Amino acid sequence: LRGRGPAPRAHTDRGSGLFQYLNAGKGSVELDTTAETDRGRLAALAAQHHILIESLGAGGLEELDVLVPHAVVRISPFGQTGPYRDRAATSAVLQAAGGWTARIGTPEGPPYFVGGHLEEYVAGAYAAAAALTAHRQASLTGETVEVDVSIFECIVGTVPYPMLQKLTFDRLGFPVPQRYQPIPGIMRCRDGYVGISSLTGQHWSDVCALLEIPELGEKMREVTLRGAEWQQFVAQDEPWLLARDAAEIVTVFQAMRVPAV
């Protein structure tokens, strides 16, 4: 991570800009785990702290023979156990296995992947919550608590919401397409097209207010089904959008914290 992304010229010894951003306010030391002296330093550091978080791969911590503190969080592609534990994994492999790629692109086209190593941020968020929970439990019981964080499982854990939404809608008798678009999605404007995405009910309410059709602010589900309400929405939002350029629309929507490009 120290070498990922651009590094400021005057402070290259501090690592890349991304490394500095993610580790602001932290102490840092580089160790070579193949060197006996550094392995001793690592063992001493681990013994001085409450929580150890490692991403050495399945079984990597045992190979170091480190005396762990009372809370240990272990991050690996597929977890410490199971049939995939030793399988090599890239960002693309993890996203495909976790189901992310099923929701990106078109069925007839090639697979697409989320950039920026997003799966690492997702796993990091899960690991942070797990570390605090493990520390609390260890403090209460006096016993070591070990948490096995699988990046694959974290990715799967971020997918269920649309699936659960579809199951709920099916049970209520409201069919939802297998592949559905962001709402309102890509719309024509004065100088081309603009993309707007309502991720939450509040987003949708703000979208309708900005487009001057507040009466549809309570009909997000109906518009999502792309029936008569969708046709009504398109007909009523066109005058507002066609009177403005894309850059102006994006600026307005982003000011309201609605995703727009």
Side-chain angles (χ1 to χ4, degrees):
L1 184 59
R2 292 175 185 271
R4 185 188 297 173
R9 291 179 181 272
H11 301 288
T12 53
D13 59 312
R14 294 170 54 194
S16 69
L18 179 62
F19 176 83
Q20 293 182 49
Y21 167 70
L22 293 175
N23 295 286
K26 303 178 188 176
S28 176
V29 60
E30 291 185 82
L31 299 175
D32 179 1
T33 56
T34 65
E36 186 174 349
T37 302
D38 279 0
R39 287 164 75 103
R41 293 180 66 193
L42 177 60
L45 284 169
Q48 294 170 16
H49 294 83
H50 295 99
I51 303 170
L52 174 65
I53 302 174
E54 59 96 353
S55 57
L56 299 169
L61 187 62
E62 287 83 356
E63 295 176 7
L64 293 180
D65 193 27
V66 173
L67 182 63
V68 298
H70 72 182
V72 183
V73 179
R74 310 185 65 179
I75 306 172
S76 62
F78 293 103
Q80 300 296 320
T81 61
Y84 289 179
R85 73 181 293 270
D86 296 317
R87 178 170 292 190
T90 63
S91 178
V93 167
L94 287 166
Q95 289 186 37
W100 278 7
T101 57
R103 304 199 56 77
I104 305 174
T106 57
E108 65 275 6
Y112 292 99
F113 304 95
V114 179
H117 296 271
L118 190 60
E119 75 285 346
E120 295 179 5
Y121 288 86
V122 170
Y126 276 90
L132 294 173
T133 305
H135 173 57
R136 180 169 184 244
Q137 181 67 13
S139 299
L140 291 172
T141 64
E143 299 177 356
T144 297
V145 176
E146 182 176 308
V147 183
D148 184 1
V149 176
S150 159
I151 300 175
F152 161 69
E153 290 184 3
C154 293
I155 289 176
V156 171
T158 63
V159 172
Y161 168 66
M163 280 54 163
L164 292 175
Q165 182 190 47
K166 183 182 185 308
L167 285 172
T168 302
F169 276 27
D170 284 345
R171 289 168 182 164
L172 293 173
F174 302 120
V176 176
Q178 290 290 341
R179 283 181 176 272
Y180 45 94
Q181 302 162 311
I183 297 295
I186 298 174
M187 310 293 289
R188 186 181 296 275
C189 60
R190 182 163 58 190
D191 63 341
Y193 294 88
V194 62
I196 305 168
S197 181
S198 300
L199 303 176
T200 68
Q202 183 62 55
H203 282 152
W204 177 251
S205 178
D206 291 341
V207 165
C208 291
L210 289 171
L211 294 175
E212 299 177 3
I213 44 177
E215 63 273 17
L216 292 178
E218 299 297 324
K219 295 187 176 183
M220 183 177 185
R221 180 183 60 78
E222 291 85 349
V223 174
T224 301
L225 297 178
R226 298 195 174 251
E229 288 81 1
W230 167 252
Q231 297 301 328
Q232 178 188 357
F233 173 81
V234 172
Q236 291 184 245
D237 71 30
E238 278 189 344
W240 193 93
L241 292 170
L242 293 177
R244 293 165 175 81
D245 292 342
E248 177 189 353
I249 296 169
V250 169
T251 298
V252 170
F253 276 84
Q254 288 194 353
M256 290 294 290
R257 304 185 69 80
V258 175
V261 293

